[in-house]
Amino acid sequence: MDQNKLIVSNWKMNLNLSDSKKLINKLIKSTFKKKPYLKNIICPQFLLIPSISNLIKDSHLLLGAQNCHFERKGAFTGESSIELLKQFNCKYVILGHSERRLYSADSNLLVKKKIKIAISEEIKPIVCIGEPLEFRKNKSYLKFLEQQLNECVPECSEIIIAYEPIWSIGTGLVPDYEEIYEVQNYVKSFLKNNKFIKKISVLYGGSVSSNNIAHIIKKSKVDGALIGGSSLDDKEILKIISIL
Ligand code: PGA
């Protein structure tokens, strides 16, 4: 593996304080730090961020959040600010995940605002796009993805897109490598129309495991993976890392 790859753990609303610390300690001790081409980014629940930030301080691990608010501060009960993410050393933030689009009504417009505020604080957005199954079946998925890209991505110099087909998340179903390749190629060529963008990375997410990671990365030519379920299990995530 000669190019930089991003392995993003999306813990979602899982792991308590002690289990998250155990997992982080195992990752810190792993031989993974000898793979400088891999960026291992951990995205825990908000309340875990302060302790994880402290634990990984001198390690090879990087910290990300699973969401951010689009305003800097104010009367937004129950929200957490981008300023705090920055203070706790979050370098990345996952935005527009399909679960947030579904359960928290994150629209393309809202995602765009969140991307802008993240970039203004030098936190790199990992922007999720992905089609529901019917759009894959009727072959209109590229149009669907194009609309998401069009409406979400602002003028910016660098962007990370995570292609996560909704039908693949947590289901064990993974698109063919050619299908992932097609999308990553499409995303890169579509975003080249945005004259401000200098660097585009495309990740794949959806049922990534130690059984499919090698093929996904090599055959689909993606720049990394966004990993949900498999990132919660120390043996599985360490196996994934060891394969790369
Ligand atoms: P999964 O989730 O790996 O459990 O399918 C991926 C994601 O939702 O980011």
Side-chain angles (χ1 to χ4, degrees):
M1 201 72 52
D2 44 359
Q3 277 172 334
N4 284 339
K5 299 288 175 206
L6 272 67
I7 295 298
V8 186
S9 288
N10 178 11
W11 285 357
K12 308 192 180 184
M13 199 171 72
N14 294 297
L15 300 180
N16 60 27
L17 189 55
S18 71
D19 290 341
S20 64
K21 284 181 178 174
K22 277 186 210 150
L23 180 49
I24 289 292
N25 282 328
K26 285 190 179 150
L27 288 173
I28 289 176
K29 281 191 202 127
S30 77
T31 53
F32 169 63
K33 48 182 166 278
K34 294 185 191 126
K35 297 189 173 185
Y37 52 87
L38 281 189
K39 281 194 175 144
N40 192 354
I41 301 152
I42 309 295
C43 303
Q45 304 183 55
F46 275 124
L47 281 176
L48 293 175
I49 286 178
S51 65
I52 304 286
S53 175
N54 197 32
L55 267 181
I56 67 173
K57 219 168 27 216
D58 301 313
S59 78
H60 59 289
L61 300 174
L62 294 161
L63 188 57
Q66 297 175 16
N67 182 36
C68 73
H69 198 269
F70 61 90
E71 290 286 355
R72 231 160 261 287
K73 63 177 183 174
F76 299 102
T77 303
E79 297 289 345
S80 204
S81 72
I82 193 85
E83 186 187 2
L84 285 178
L85 294 185
K86 177 111 178 158
Q87 282 180 354
F88 284 107
N89 218 14
C90 284
K91 303 288 186 207
Y92 295 83
V93 59
I94 299 172
L95 294 174
H97 191 282
S98 59
E99 286 150 14
R100 287 209 54 90
R101 292 175 187 267
L102 179 64
Y103 302 121
S104 304
D106 276 13
S107 63
N108 287 338
L109 184 62
L110 211 63
V111 173
K112 187 175 192 170
K113 287 185 182 176
K114 292 180 179 194
I115 296 173
K116 282 185 181 172
I117 199 161
I119 291 172
S120 77
E121 288 296 338
E122 292 169 335
I123 295 178
K124 290 184 182 173
I126 298 169
V127 184
C128 300
I129 60 168
E131 78 283 359
L133 188 56
E134 62 265 32
F135 287 80
R136 170 62 60 176
K137 280 190 175 157
N138 69 23
K139 302 203 186 320
S140 59
Y141 54 96
L142 291 179
K143 275 264 150 298
F144 184 91
L145 299 172
E146 184 177 311
Q147 188 174 357
Q148 287 189 320
L149 290 172
N150 224 352
E151 293 178 7
C152 289
V153 180
E155 292 171 357
C156 56
S157 60
E158 181 179 352
I159 195 89
I160 303 167
I161 302 291
Y163 171 51
E164 297 209 308
I166 294 174
W167 48 273
S168 174
I169 296 175
T171 59
L173 298 172
V174 176
D176 291 341
Y177 309 122
E178 294 80 13
E179 292 172 328
I180 304 175
Y181 177 76
E182 179 194 32
V183 170
Q184 74 86 21
N185 219 9
Y186 186 78
V187 169
K188 282 187 177 158
S189 56
F190 180 77
L191 287 178
K192 280 198 183 121
N193 297 327
N194 182 327
K195 59 181 189 301
F196 299 93
I197 298 184
K198 298 207 168 44
K199 187 170 178 207
I200 307 162
S201 309
V202 179
L203 315 182
Y204 169 76
S207 296
V208 172
S209 73
S210 57
N211 294 327
N212 56 31
I213 187 74
H215 287 313
I216 287 174
I217 299 277
K218 281 185 197 133
K219 292 199 184 165
S220 314
K221 304 229 182 310
V222 285
D223 304 295
L226 179 50
I227 307 177
S230 298
S231 73
L232 300 170
D233 181 275
D234 58 326
K235 290 191 188 66
E236 180 65 0
I237 188 70
L238 286 172
K239 197 164 170 197
I240 288 172
I241 290 163
S242 72
I243 290 168
L244 295 172

